[in-house]
């Protein structure tokens, strides 16, 4: 049986796929932090302030997540509002899954679950399994260049698990270690700075650094959210879960509008039609197929 990889078609006749996922830039991390912070405060608003409980709140958020993630997977190209709605959905669902695992069902924060440490251990193991499956399926790990339907689905599963893990690890750091949300914020921020330095100054795998940062922005956002919502006598600004959520939503909308403007001004270049990383076999694309070719300036024309 031949293992030869099919040769690539000539550039003039190559098929390309409209990009579905954004470039990882500073704006990406700002939007990601805002989205996951809003997910934290919105979860607390429904689950604790309004006393709906973790299970009911998780079901509400799960419905929202399923609606937006199905719409995202079916979309033909990148839509900023839709993409970040899915990230927000993973944060909201992840918060409730983490709280249910760690604290148990209920309206408050009683420790009736498995605890923060075991929750983080289980979720870390689950994330490792997701990446192993990802590797075995032959999809690219490059989060900026995912062009297959299967690769995008694995991407969203990994994001859901990583945001859930981020919640558990952040709760452990701020509660079990006695640091509190303010000191936990500074610790995580320092780790993030180390990751940034590693990205620019070392040869450490960029995919590994991306997912480390992706997990850590969740507890970073949670600590920031606590700073907004907690009473002043606990070191917060005392805005409450409603005021904090409203402020974060407003900021998220502003940056979403800015990203939408940037994409409209300079559309994202399409990607080559996807092939299996291990076998070279063509993969089902996750976006609209277009005919494209690079011009003399290296830009893609459609």
């Amino acid at each position: 049986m031949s293992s030869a990889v099919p040769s690539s078609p000539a550039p003039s006749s190559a098929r390309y796929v409209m990009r579905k996922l954004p470039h990882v830039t500073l704006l990406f991390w700002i939007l990601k932090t805002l989205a996951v912070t809003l997910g934290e405060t919105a979860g607390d608003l429904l689950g604790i302030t309004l006393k709906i409980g973790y299970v009911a709140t998780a079901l509400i958020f799960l419905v929202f997540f399923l609606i937006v993630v199905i719409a995202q997977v079916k979309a033909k190209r990148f839509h900023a509002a839709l993409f970040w709605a899915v990230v927000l959905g993973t944060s909201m669902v992840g918060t409730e899954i983490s709280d249910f695992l760690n604290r148990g069902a209920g309206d408050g924060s009683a420790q009736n679950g498995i605890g923060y440490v075991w929750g983080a251990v289980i979720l870390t193991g689950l994330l490792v399994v997701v990446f192993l499956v990802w590797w075995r399926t032959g999809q690219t790990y490059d989060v900026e260049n995912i062009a297959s339907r299967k690769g995008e689905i694995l991407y969203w599963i990994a994001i859901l698990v990583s945001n859930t893990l981020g919640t558990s690890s952040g709760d452990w750091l701020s509660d079990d270690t006695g640091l509190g949300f303010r000191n936990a914020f500074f610790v995580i921020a320092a780790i993030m700075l180390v990751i940034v330095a590693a990205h620019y100054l070392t040869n450490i795998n960029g995919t590994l650094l991306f997912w480390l940062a992706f997990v850590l922005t969740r507890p970073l956002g949670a600590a920031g959210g606590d700073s907004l919502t907690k009473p002043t006598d606990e070191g917060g600004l005392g805005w409450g879960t409603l005021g904090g959520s409203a402020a974060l939503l407003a900021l998220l909308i502003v940056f979403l509008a800015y990203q939408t403007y940037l994409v409209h001004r300079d559309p994202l270049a399409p990607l080559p039609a996807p092939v299996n990383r291990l076998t070279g076999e063509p993969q089902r694309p996750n976006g609209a197929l277009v005919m494209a070719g690079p011009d003399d300036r290296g830009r893609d024309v459609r």
Side-chain angles (χ1 to χ4, degrees):
M1 181 172 63
S2 175
S3 60
V5 176
S7 59
S8 301
S12 60
S13 61
R15 291 198 304 174
Y16 289 75
V17 181
M18 295 301 296
R19 191 182 294 269
K20 293 279 297 294
L21 308 176
H23 293 296
V24 180
T25 63
L26 176 60
L27 181 59
F28 175 94
W29 291 114
I30 292 173
L31 281 162
K32 199 276 181 177
T33 303
L34 286 172
V36 297
T37 307
L38 177 58
E40 170 77 13
T41 59
D44 288 344
L45 174 63
L46 270 66
I48 299 177
T49 304
L50 300 180
K51 300 187 183 301
I52 294 176
Y54 295 127
V55 176
T57 301
L59 290 175
I60 294 171
F61 289 162
L62 179 62
V63 171
F64 170 79
F65 167 69
L66 290 175
I67 291 173
V68 293
V69 76
I70 290 172
Q72 164 68 24
V73 171
K74 289 185 175 181
K76 299 302 183 181
R77 64 180 66 200
F78 174 71
H79 300 283
L82 182 57
F83 176 88
W84 291 108
V86 183
V87 175
L88 173 61
T90 63
S91 177
M92 294 190 299
V93 172
T95 295
E96 301 312 310
I97 293 173
S98 174
D99 287 346
F100 182 74
L101 278 175
N102 301 335
R103 304 173 183 175
D107 298 330
S109 57
Q111 291 289 347
N112 298 317
I114 61 176
Y116 298 131
V117 173
W118 279 111
V121 169
I122 291 172
L123 290 165
T124 299
L126 182 57
L127 188 58
V128 170
V129 170
V130 171
F131 285 131
L132 288 175
V133 171
W134 194 332
W135 176 263
R136 292 293 300 272
T137 59
Q139 308 304 308
T140 179
Y141 272 147
D142 187 344
V143 295
E144 288 191 336
N145 295 310
I146 294 173
S148 70
R149 174 67 60 85
K150 185 180 293 185
E152 185 180 358
I153 291 173
L154 287 166
Y155 173 84
W156 288 118
I157 293 172
I159 284 182
L160 175 60
V161 177
S162 65
N163 276 336
T164 308
L165 171 60
T167 302
S168 285
S169 58
D171 288 342
W172 169 78
L173 188 62
S174 61
D175 292 349
D176 283 6
T177 64
L179 284 174
F181 63 84
R182 179 177 296 178
N183 290 331
F185 176 87
F186 289 125
V187 169
I188 298 168
I191 297 174
M192 290 290 292
L193 289 175
V194 172
I195 292 175
V196 171
H199 172 71
Y200 287 106
L201 302 177
T202 73
N203 293 322
I204 297 176
N205 184 272
T207 299
L208 174 62
L209 294 176
F210 171 86
W211 287 107
L212 285 175
F214 205 95
V215 170
L216 287 173
T217 49
R218 180 64 188 84
L220 182 71
D226 285 338
S227 298
L228 295 176
T229 61
K230 294 296 185 182
T232 54
D233 59 356
E234 295 181 20
L237 296 178
W239 291 7
T241 55
L242 179 58
S245 296
L248 289 166
L249 179 59
L251 272 176
L252 183 61
I253 291 173
V254 169
F255 281 101
L256 269 176
Y258 179 60
Q259 186 176 55
T260 301
Y261 162 75
L262 292 179
V263 173
H264 178 75
R265 185 188 66 182
D266 188 14
L268 299 177
L271 296 167
V275 295
N276 187 291
R277 177 179 47 80
L278 302 176
T279 67
E281 293 295 323
Q283 300 286 292
R284 180 181 179 182
N286 66 338
L289 285 171
V290 295
M291 304 301 293
D295 65 12
D296 293 338
R297 292 171 295 174
R299 298 174 60 188
D300 288 311
V301 293
R302 294 188 287 281

